[in-house]
Amino acid sequence: MIWIGEGSADVGAIGGKGANMAQLERIGLPVPAWFAVTTSAFRKALRGSELEERIGRRLARAGATDLLEAAAEIRAWVGEAALPEELAESVRGAVDSKIGPSALCAVRSSALGEDTAEASFAGLHDSFLFVRGTDSILETIRRVWASAFNDRALAYRRERDLPLEGISIAVVVQQMIEASVSGVVFTANPNNGDVHEVVVSALYGAGEGLVSAGLDADTWVVDKDSRSAEAAIAAKTEEIVFDRAAGSGLTRREVDAGRAEASALSEEQLQQVVESSLAIERAFGRPQDIEFSFDPSGALYVLQARAITTVDELGPAAGNRLLWDNSNIIESYSGVTSPMTYSFIRRAYTIVYHCFAEVMGIKSDVVRRNRETFENMLGLFRGQVYYNLRNWYRLIRLFPGFSYNSDFMESMMGVSEGARFGDDALPEPGWRKRYFVELPALLRLVTRSTWNFVRIRRVVGRFQEHFSSHFKAWSDLDFTRMAPHELRALYLEMEEKLLWNWKAPIINDFFVMIFYGTLKKLCATWCADESGSLQNDLICGEGGIESTLPTQRLLELAIEAAAEPELRSFLLDHSPEELAERLPAEPAFTSFFAEIETYLDLYGFRCVNELKLEEFSLKDRPQFLYQMLANYLRMDNLADLDPRTSTERESRIRREAEERAFSALGGFPLGWLRRRLFRRALGNARLGVKNRENMRFARTRIYGLFRELLRALGETLAREELLAERDDIFYLTLDEVWDFIKGTAVTTDLRGLVTLRRAEFDLFRSDSERMPDDRFETFGMAYHRNRFRARRRAGTAASEDGVLRGIGCCPGIVSGEVKLLRSPNEDARLEGEILVAERTDPGWVPLYPAVSGLLIERGSILSHSAIVAREMGIPTIVGIPGLSTALETGQHVTMDGAAGTVELEGGETQAATASDSTP
């Protein structure tokens, strides 16, 4: 009947408040001496007075109109109930042993369900302060029991669909603390729901001044990570303190003038409160509402803690912190991505990072121990693909020599922020390990990388030869004639022959990082180029980039059509949809259509979002090709777009940049040595960038082949009535399809799975307001009680001078009208406007010749958009925060591709905000 800290703190025995108090003691926090009268004592008292069944019958009869009357009757019955003698004796013993017979006590309710995450019951049951002596405590216990049937408590239960029958309540008896300072802590900001902030309010005297009397209090908003605090210190003219004259109760008095303007908490006390509160939050696994006091000696006491029920997220309290970012991957997988594509790329990343580990010299047993990391490099949130940066960090931490120089490794891998996760922290190596284990491992890595760099042409050449031979063999197959098990076997062959041999692109990516980064530094330090324009100009005009060939061939077809007036008129007078249907049947244009068919045979695998398997290729829907031809034919300067003219322009830019660079190098002592080093870095940077683009083109080709394989398989499944239509296959995952074929499936209702997924993903596409931010954290279970929002969201797209700023990628000053496209499929008709896009991928490249400039919100200087635009000589700026919400079609701007600036006519942007994704 009495719980005094021994045995299990069962919430069913001592209620929510009592269980929370026991948890506070278990984690070592200072709690005033206390004990609990259990729910068993309550029920025994009711049975002894024959009230249990009587109360149940009365509540069963109570309707909405007479609930107050029923509550009053029951309280009267409970208030007259006899206390079991056994209980009285137990309470006397507990008071003597735990608190002291002369101490003042607080007698508080602790009902089942009270102070829980589901229902707080805050203020609905009665608590009594300054109770002295066992007899008074016993009488007060009975009054607390009666408060279980307060009218507002019963109404709260009915509103929350909580049962009225079987109500049970425990009672906490706790020593009163004479408080010099009291306060309340919310471990999630109650004003904005931010689970990364702690809000502390404190004033002089007892907490009743804050929670009941409404006295002014100091407030601190504390960041959980940095512990930095923003303080708002109030003028505290009054305080509520223990009434010494009366020997009980509280009294209000004025605060001394010297203390009124001072902070109620010292910095040390504030940090003590915050650390204790965060310990409580971690222990309970959710944000907490905590009451505390400091006694006159400066000792901290935690009086109670209960879950905050009004926040959507659990935040850091739930543990398992994960950091998600789509900064780079969004260029390839923008918008909602299908389950099939996600399942494929997740597996592909696992395989490729195994190759990555081999290239970096990570031992196979280390890879095996960290397979959880390799298998979870990506996440999917509301259909959007994200990098799991925590696992990315774990991966680079495996590099030989990482602990010897982690900053170097992070910089080399392009990790912009050295995110640290406490439970992943590596111990600082001792000097023996540092110099005799880590340093040799780092040197072996450098040696391995140097050897790969020396033979980079051979490495890349072998890869391309290997790829071409297999790709030709596979592309000659007729997938539509193959059985599902044969298609699966072919996929496994592709995976084995290509994905598990994806080492050359990884080696080349390192090659680019090293030499492109070196070139950038040399341009800045030796050539005094701070804008980066010199570096960009030096890279352009390299030639031999396969991904530009489809657009160059389209331009050649447009120039050919422009020379034939009848063909030109036919292409301009009909819509793309009409051309796709009529051009093949026009006898006058048979030869031109044959060239179109040849183009589709060579490049028909290309499409917008071409790494998303669910997208339609040019072979599937050639209308996009005809729209591009029409765009080119409408241009007045079509002759200027002749690839030969473009090549000459790029060569001139490159030549002038070389003259500027080598002229700047010549004035230094030992200038010949600098020129030699500069030339080596430049040559390697050009080679690496070209190789990277060409191997990306190989990736696009294999994706196109796999897309055809899946559509052939979907056709078979639809024919067998396992799917409603061919493209439903993209709403399934790769494993679900293969498991169905080989007999290891858990769910065989493929149509049902598609129906479920289609409804969910259609909602993702339509509900743009709930689209996740570009960078956010999740805690606990990733899909439960996380809103996928960045830590801080304020920040306008334009600076105060009305200028948008990004990364200049290709020089040129252009003034004109902008056209904003979310996708090339929206309205791809262009006539020399400045193209504005949130992000692009290689499928956008055919649009480029018909624009005068490119402004892209997302991307880097090495993104595909930037590289191809440089090759085509189109002024380009990427990485402009908030661009797509700052501009709208029809606005006039002036862009400077070298400086990376966009000036708006009138100096004003649309009302826009851009998320600040700093964690």
Side-chain angles (χ1 to χ4, degrees):
M1 294 180 30
I2 297 292
W3 191 88
I4 57 173
E6 298 174 357
S8 173
D10 180 13
V11 68
I14 62 175
K17 187 181 275 86
N20 289 354
M21 294 294 293
Q23 175 76 332
L24 294 176
E25 282 194 310
R26 272 197 300 273
I27 62 177
L29 290 170
V31 176
W34 69 287
F35 66 88
V37 178
T38 68
T39 54
S40 296
F42 170 72
R43 288 192 295 270
K44 186 170 183 178
L46 293 188
R47 284 195 299 271
S49 300
E50 299 181 348
L51 289 177
E52 200 165 33
E53 293 183 4
R54 187 180 179 190
I55 290 172
R57 290 193 300 269
R58 183 65 183 91
L59 287 175
R61 295 198 315 271
T65 56
D66 71 335
L67 186 62
L68 299 184
E69 181 180 340
E73 290 178 15
I74 295 170
R75 285 199 303 275
W77 299 342
V78 175
E80 296 171 357
L83 294 177
E85 185 56 33
E86 179 188 357
L87 172 62
E89 290 301 318
S90 296
V91 169
R92 290 188 181 93
V95 170
D96 290 344
S97 63
K98 293 286 292 185
I99 300 176
S102 61
L104 291 169
C105 296
V107 182
R108 302 175 184 270
S109 64
S110 185
L112 294 184
E114 187 172 0
D115 285 1
T116 65
E118 293 74 28
S120 70
F121 282 91
L124 300 184
H125 300 130
D126 294 342
S127 294
F128 301 91
L129 306 179
F130 300 103
V131 181
R132 192 196 303 270
T134 303
D135 291 342
S136 297
I137 290 173
L138 288 170
E139 178 58 30
T140 306
I141 288 171
R142 189 157 45 193
R143 294 169 66 187
V144 172
W145 284 348
S147 75
F149 303 97
N150 282 346
D151 47 12
R152 58 187 185 276
L154 295 180
Y156 182 82
R157 286 180 177 276
R158 179 164 284 176
E159 180 184 337
R160 293 292 185 101
D161 289 327
L162 299 173
L164 294 181
E165 67 274 7
I167 293 174
S168 196
I169 189 168
V171 180
V172 169
V173 181
Q174 186 176 32
Q175 180 184 1
M176 290 287 298
I177 299 299
E178 183 179 352
S180 60
V181 174
S182 297
V184 173
V185 181
F186 294 95
T187 63
N189 192 322
N191 298 318
N192 56 21
D194 192 338
V195 292
H196 301 284
E197 293 178 341
V198 178
V199 177
V200 181
S201 294
L203 44 54
Y204 298 124
E208 278 67 18
L210 184 62
V211 300
S212 301
L215 299 184
D216 290 333
D218 300 336
T219 301
W220 295 262
V221 178
V222 184
D223 181 83
K224 287 183 180 178
D225 283 343
S226 66
R227 302 296 197 269
S228 61
E230 294 182 6
I233 305 302
K236 300 169 288 297
T237 58
E238 293 182 289
E239 62 180 335
I240 293 178
V241 297
F242 176 58
D243 189 345
R244 290 186 173 278
S248 181
L250 297 169
T251 185
R252 184 183 297 216
R253 71 182 184 190
E254 291 185 2
V255 174
D256 298 339
R259 290 195 304 147
E261 302 290 340
S263 171
L265 295 177
S266 67
E267 180 62 29
E268 181 181 352
Q269 286 176 319
L270 174 65
Q271 292 302 322
Q272 186 181 1
V273 168
V274 170
E275 295 301 328
S276 297
S277 300
L278 292 179
I280 294 169
E281 182 186 67
R282 289 191 296 270
F284 286 100
R286 61 188 61 234
Q288 297 289 302
D289 170 1
I290 301 160
E291 296 179 19
F292 69 91
S293 288
F294 284 92
D295 71 8
S297 70
L300 171 66
Y301 287 92
V302 179
L303 305 181
Q304 69 175 34
R306 56 173 170 255
I308 300 175
T309 60
T310 57
V311 292
D312 296 330
E313 297 182 280
L314 298 179
N320 189 37
R321 176 191 174 198
L322 298 175
L323 180 60
W324 306 93
D325 192 292
N326 67 3
S327 297
N328 295 316
I329 202 167
I330 201 168
E331 183 179 354
S332 300
Y333 304 100
S334 63
V336 174
T337 298
S338 73
M340 176 59 73
T341 294
Y342 172 68
S343 67
F344 170 68
I345 63 174
R346 184 183 174 196
R347 175 155 179 77
Y349 269 67
T350 299
I351 294 172
V352 168
Y353 279 119
H354 274 84
C355 297
F356 183 35
E358 185 177 336
V359 168
M360 297 304 297
I362 302 173
K363 295 179 180 179
S364 57
D365 63 320
V366 174
V367 173
R368 187 173 59 254
R369 287 198 304 270
N370 290 275
R371 59 184 179 273
E372 172 76 7
T373 296
F374 284 85
E375 293 171 1
N376 293 281
M377 299 299 293
L378 299 178
L380 192 71
F381 293 88
R382 298 189 63 80
Q384 314 272 328
V385 181
Y386 286 80
Y387 282 124
N388 182 336
L389 288 193
R390 181 170 189 144
N391 279 351
W392 172 257
Y393 186 82
R394 284 170 172 162
L395 178 64
I396 66 169
R397 196 183 62 178
L398 300 177
F399 290 177
F402 174 77
S403 60
Y404 182 81
N405 195 336
S406 59
D407 292 339
F408 169 76
M409 287 293 183
E410 288 170 348
S411 175
M412 186 173 69
M413 289 306 303
V415 177
S416 59
E417 300 175 40
R420 294 293 187 269
F421 301 91
D423 54 340
D424 279 345
L426 288 173
E428 188 68 24
W431 68 271
R432 283 190 177 87
K433 183 177 181 181
R434 187 178 182 85
Y435 292 104
F436 293 99
V437 178
E438 298 294 343
L439 180 57
L442 179 59
L443 294 176
R444 285 194 297 272
L445 173 60
V446 172
T447 302
R448 176 191 293 262
S449 298
T450 302
W451 171 238
N452 285 330
F453 291 170
V454 167
R455 57 193 188 98
I456 189 68
R457 294 179 188 273
R458 190 186 315 164
V459 168
V460 171
R462 286 178 177 172
F463 170 83
Q464 291 173 328
E465 182 180 346
H466 174 81
F467 176 86
S468 296
S469 64
H470 286 294
F471 181 80
K472 184 180 186 310
W474 293 330
S475 58
D476 287 341
L477 297 174
D478 185 352
F479 298 150
T480 62
R481 294 180 176 272
M482 299 176 70
H485 67 277
E486 293 173 326
L487 291 172
R488 176 178 175 271
L490 178 59
Y491 164 77
L492 294 176
E493 182 183 341
M494 292 178 177
E495 186 178 278
E496 180 65 29
K497 296 289 179 62
L498 283 186
L499 285 181
W500 284 103
N501 288 282
W502 206 258
K503 299 180 183 67
I506 295 169
I507 293 170
N508 188 73
D509 280 348
F510 269 103
F511 187 81
V512 172
M513 284 183 192
I514 295 297
F515 288 104
Y516 194 85
T518 300
L519 177 64
K520 181 179 180 180
K521 187 171 184 179
L522 295 182
C523 285
T525 56
W526 289 359
C527 304
D529 176 59
E530 297 180 358
S531 67
S533 61
L534 177 60
Q535 178 191 20
N536 294 336
D537 294 350
L538 288 167
I539 292 295
C540 82
E542 177 66 13
I545 295 181
E546 289 185 76
S547 57
T548 64
L549 297 181
T551 301
Q552 290 178 5
R553 180 57 186 144
L554 265 186
L555 287 169
E556 291 171 354
L557 289 173
I559 292 171
E560 181 181 328
E564 300 181 34
E566 188 178 353
L567 175 58
R568 181 180 185 277
S569 297
F570 186 82
L571 293 174
L572 289 176
D573 292 345
H574 295 86
S575 70
E577 290 73 23
E578 291 172 332
L579 289 171
E581 183 178 343
R582 294 188 56 178
L583 185 63
E586 284 291 332
F589 308 131
T590 301
S591 61
F592 185 77
F593 180 68
E595 293 186 75
I596 293 291
E597 285 193 306
T598 301
Y599 182 92
L600 291 175
D601 286 340
L602 289 172
Y603 307 117
F605 55 83
R606 306 221 69 170
C607 59
V608 176
N609 290 323
E610 58 192 12
L611 298 186
K612 296 171 72 170
L613 299 170
E614 63 272 19
E615 295 290 339
F616 290 100
S617 67
L618 286 178
K619 271 189 178 180
D620 296 316
R621 295 185 178 176
Q623 291 90 336
F624 183 71
L625 181 153
Y626 294 119
Q627 178 65 72
M628 295 305 99
L629 287 174
N631 283 350
Y632 303 158
L633 290 171
R634 289 190 187 94
M635 298 184 67
D636 297 330
N637 61 338
L638 180 58
D640 293 342
L641 298 180
D642 188 315
R644 290 168 296 184
T645 303
S646 176
T647 299
E648 292 172 1
R649 181 177 60 249
E650 294 158 17
S651 297
R652 175 179 51 78
I653 294 172
R654 176 180 174 129
R655 185 172 56 253
E656 291 173 355
E658 288 177 349
E659 291 173 357
R660 283 161 46 204
F662 288 106
S663 174
L665 294 171
F668 292 100
L670 299 177
W672 66 271
L673 179 60
R674 292 197 175 193
R675 283 194 297 273
R676 184 169 182 177
L677 293 174
F678 189 89
R679 195 179 300 278
R680 173 64 62 87
L682 174 59
N684 285 337
R686 286 170 171 170
L687 176 63
V689 169
K690 180 175 74 173
N691 286 341
R692 192 175 79 152
E693 285 303 301
N694 289 340
M695 285 188 283
R696 282 182 173 181
F697 197 56
R699 180 186 63 180
T700 299
R701 285 180 169 178
I702 200 63
Y703 269 65
L705 205 60
F706 185 45
R707 179 183 291 113
E708 292 182 13
L709 183 153
L710 286 172
R711 284 207 160 98
L713 179 56
E715 192 71 54
T716 299
L717 295 177
R719 190 167 55 248
E720 295 295 328
E721 299 185 349
L722 296 167
L723 296 177
E725 57 184 69
R726 178 192 67 177
D727 284 3
D728 280 353
I729 194 170
F730 296 110
Y731 285 97
L732 302 173
T733 68
L734 198 58
D735 284 340
E736 285 167 349
V737 173
W738 297 154
D739 286 343
F740 187 89
I741 292 170
K742 64 180 181 168
T744 55
V746 175
T747 298
T748 58
D749 181 10
L750 299 185
R751 278 179 175 250
L753 282 175
V754 168
T755 300
L756 175 70
R757 297 262 173 74
R758 186 184 289 276
E760 186 175 15
F761 277 68
D762 284 349
L763 179 62
F764 295 158
R765 295 185 187 96
S766 63
D767 191 3
S768 59
E769 291 184 1
R770 295 183 62 194
M771 184 181 296
D773 286 343
D774 297 330
R775 185 181 178 101
F776 59 86
E777 292 174 314
T778 61
F779 297 89
M781 295 183 288
Y783 296 118
H784 178 62
R785 298 193 69 169
N786 285 292
R787 296 186 301 123
F788 318 138
R789 295 299 177 210
R791 289 282 301 276
R792 303 176 184 89
R793 293 181 56 83
T796 57
S799 62
E800 292 181 358
D801 57 3
V803 177
L804 301 175
R805 291 181 169 82
I807 304 168
C809 294
C810 188
I813 297 175
V814 181
S815 294
E817 192 175 289
V818 304
K819 183 161 186 176
L820 172 64
L821 289 182
R822 305 287 179 183
S823 162
N825 298 323
E826 287 182 353
D827 176 11
R829 178 168 175 161
L830 292 161
E831 299 183 55
E833 298 96 335
I834 297 172
L835 176 61
V836 175
E838 185 176 356
R839 56 186 66 85
T840 63
D841 63 37
W844 289 65
V845 172
L847 297 175
Y848 292 1
V851 304
S852 56
L854 284 170
L855 300 175
I856 302 172
E857 182 170 333
R858 306 295 297 274
S860 69
I861 203 168
L862 282 179
S863 66
H864 181 85
S865 306
I867 291 169
V868 174
R870 280 197 295 271
E871 287 299 312
M872 300 177 74
I874 301 171
T876 301
I877 306 172
V878 301
I880 309 172
L883 173 69
S884 60
T885 51
L887 297 181
E888 63 180 15
T889 296
Q891 279 187 280
H892 281 75
V893 303
T894 297
M895 62 171 289
D896 186 334
T901 58
V902 184
E903 295 185 23
L904 290 82
E905 189 175 277
E908 294 181 356
T909 64
Q910 301 300 307
T913 59
S915 66
D916 175 359
S917 58
T918 304

